[in-house]
Amino acid sequence: MEQEIRNADLSDMMCDLLYLLGCGVNEKMPAKAYIKTFQEAYDEDKMQMMYRFSKAHFVEALTGTVLKKAGVKLPTEWEQSIAKAIRKVILFDRERAEIFSYMDEQRIWHMPLKGVILKEFYPSIGMRQMSDNDILFDKDYAKQIRDYMISRGYEVEVFEQGNHDVYEKEPVYNFEMHTSDANRHRAGAVQASGLVERLYRRAGAAGRAGARRASASGAGAASAGAEVRSFPAGQQRGKARHPLSQT
């Protein structure tokens, strides 16, 4: 963090950050007494520090939204960050829908991973910020997907150099297309989750080879409960408590 933030200020900000995050993910308004104390303690300069501290942890949209709902005036830069986070989610959702539609038409099994799933458990759009979208798909179609992404104006940043390919396009798009999660320890968890069986049922006999490959790689265990889309396209969603929510 910036050197001008004293240790005492940083300690206070850590506590405030954690409190605001807890309020945000649990859909609770901060206590009125807390907000009163917060406004007395945070002058313009310290608000800028709190903004930068939140931004350094990629949660400025979440903390800013909580403070704004509580009636705290935010610096203009913070307001703009919240608006940009919302815009980014909307753009990603629309673009991802187009990509998924193509993969459905081409009968390529696929499913979203990580933040694409987790963002749905946050109370407001934009609260769960992401720098990219992760998608697991059948690696046999990697070259076809590469050609398709290029046709949509994407730059190929990484291709067949690891367990995922990377495609980027202005103004905000960054898609990581996973062919495996490269974690053998997850293979058993994938099998136990029933994910592979769901892929079998939805893909039919023609897609079973691809589903078996997903099982062998252990891919997607962390996204159990995510929407599984194969051919024909279908949905399989599960409910789960937010990882930061109170018990």
Side-chain angles (χ1 to χ4, degrees), residues 18-42:
L18 289 173
Y19 178 72
L20 294 171
L21 291 175
C23 289
V25 298
N26 289 292
E27 298 185 78
K28 292 184 177 181
M29 288 291 291
K32 291 182 179 180
Y34 171 83
I35 291 299
K36 183 175 184 297
T37 302
F38 182 94
Q39 290 176 312
E40 291 173 351
Y42 281 78

Side-chain angles (χ1 to χ4, degrees), residues 41-61:
Y42 281 78
D43 57 16
E44 184 176 342
D45 289 339
K46 197 171 180 181
M47 278 293 284
Q48 283 289 345
M49 293 178 186
M50 183 60 168
Y51 165 66
R52 294 198 301 273
F53 187 56
S54 295
K55 189 177 179 65
H57 292 281
F58 214 36
V59 292
E60 74 272 16

Side-chain angles (χ1 to χ4, degrees), residues 140-167:
D140 283 354
Y141 295 88
K143 289 184 173 60
Q144 182 176 336
I145 292 299
R146 179 193 59 189
D147 293 342
Y148 172 70
M149 297 299 277
I150 291 174
S151 74
R152 293 187 65 83
Y154 282 84
E155 295 288 336
V156 182
E157 300 298 324
V158 178
F159 183 71
E160 292 189 339
Q161 295 181 26
N163 69 324
H164 63 271
D165 303 327
V166 179
Y167 301 94

Side-chain angles (χ1 to χ4, degrees), residues 96 99-100 103-104 108-117 133-138 175-179 190 193-196 198-199 202 210-211 214-215 217-231 234-238:
R96 190 177 63 256
I99 294 170
F100 279 2
M103 296 176 85
D104 286 341
I108 303 170
W109 66 259
H110 57 279
M111 63 181 290
L113 301 173
K114 298 159 62 175
V116 182
I117 304 301
N133 271 200
D134 297 89
I135 300 170
L136 174 68
F137 76 110
D138 190 336
F175 283 90
E176 292 193 358
M177 306 297 289
H178 293 254
T179 55
V190 173
S193 72
L195 170 61
V196 176
R198 294 201 296 274
L199 282 169
R202 296 186 182 279
S215 175
S217 68
S223 298
E227 179 182 8
V228 179
R229 302 186 68 172
S230 52
F231 40 91
Q235 293 185 340
Q236 188 78 354
R237 297 190 63 84

Side-chain angles (χ1 to χ4, degrees), residues 2 16 63-64 66 77 87 94 123 201:
E2 289 87 343
D16 290 329
T63 55
V66 173
E77 190 177 7
R87 173 177 176 265
R94 185 172 60 187
R201 289 196 299 272

